[in-house]
Amino acid sequence: MIAKFFYLEGAYLILAVIILLVTLFVTTRPFMSPNAPKKGLSIVALVLAFFIGLHFFITINRIAEVKSAFKSGKSILCESRENRRMAQSIEIKSGVAGWSIEGDNFISPIYARPFHMARCIVKK
């Protein structure tokens, strides 16, 4: 679970560290109060942790929803990274074009790259 967290939220964690560094820089300026670094860093860290955790929770739930919908035969829409000039999304359905699940990825012998379920939604 921790590895999945770092894989899905790694970019946001790096941005959070940059934001915390900027907060530290701003709160240590001479015109700020002596307690500003402690207050500023704790408030910003709590807000960032809340939003990153919320994003992870939503993403994990969407992955579970997509996985169960695929297994029940529903259509899934995934972002296509194969060719940006043509279709921006691809429709995936169980039993069509050899689609299968490998971990959190959809794979097919037709496509060279797998499609991660975090970039997919259930077609309504």
Side-chain angles (χ1 to χ4, degrees), residues 1-20:
M1 189 66 142
I2 293 294
K4 185 182 275 190
F5 175 77
F6 284 115
Y7 178 75
L8 293 173
E9 305 300 324
Y12 297 115
L13 292 172
I14 291 169
L15 287 172
V17 168
I18 292 169
I19 291 169
L20 287 171

Side-chain angles (χ1 to χ4, degrees), residues 1-108:
M1 189 66 142
I2 293 294
K4 185 182 275 190
F5 175 77
F6 284 115
Y7 178 75
L8 293 173
E9 305 300 324
Y12 297 115
L13 292 172
I14 291 169
L15 287 172
V17 168
I18 292 169
I19 291 169
L20 287 171
L21 289 173
V22 169
T23 303
L24 180 64
F25 177 77
V26 169
T27 57
T28 56
R29 299 298 91 203
F31 57 85
M32 299 295 284
S33 73
N35 291 333
K38 189 168 92 174
K39 284 181 182 178
L41 285 175
S42 38
I43 291 171
V44 171
L46 283 173
V47 168
L48 290 171
F50 172 76
F51 283 115
I52 290 172
L54 181 67
H55 183 264
F56 179 70
F57 179 74
I58 291 169
T59 303
I60 290 298
N61 285 340
R62 187 173 61 246
I63 289 173
E65 178 187 358
V66 165
K67 196 177 280 191
S68 67
F70 178 79
K71 289 178 181 177
S72 67
K74 294 181 181 175
S75 293
I76 309 297
L77 290 177
C78 288
E79 176 187 10
S80 178
R81 300 171 119 191
E82 287 282 322
N83 188 350
R84 292 287 188 180
R85 293 180 184 192
M86 297 178 85
Q88 290 292 324
S89 63
I90 185 165
E91 187 171 336
I92 296 173
K93 194 166 185 174
S94 179
V96 178
W99 287 107
S100 63
I101 296 175
E102 187 176 287
D104 286 338
N105 293 311
F106 289 116
I107 57 168
S108 172

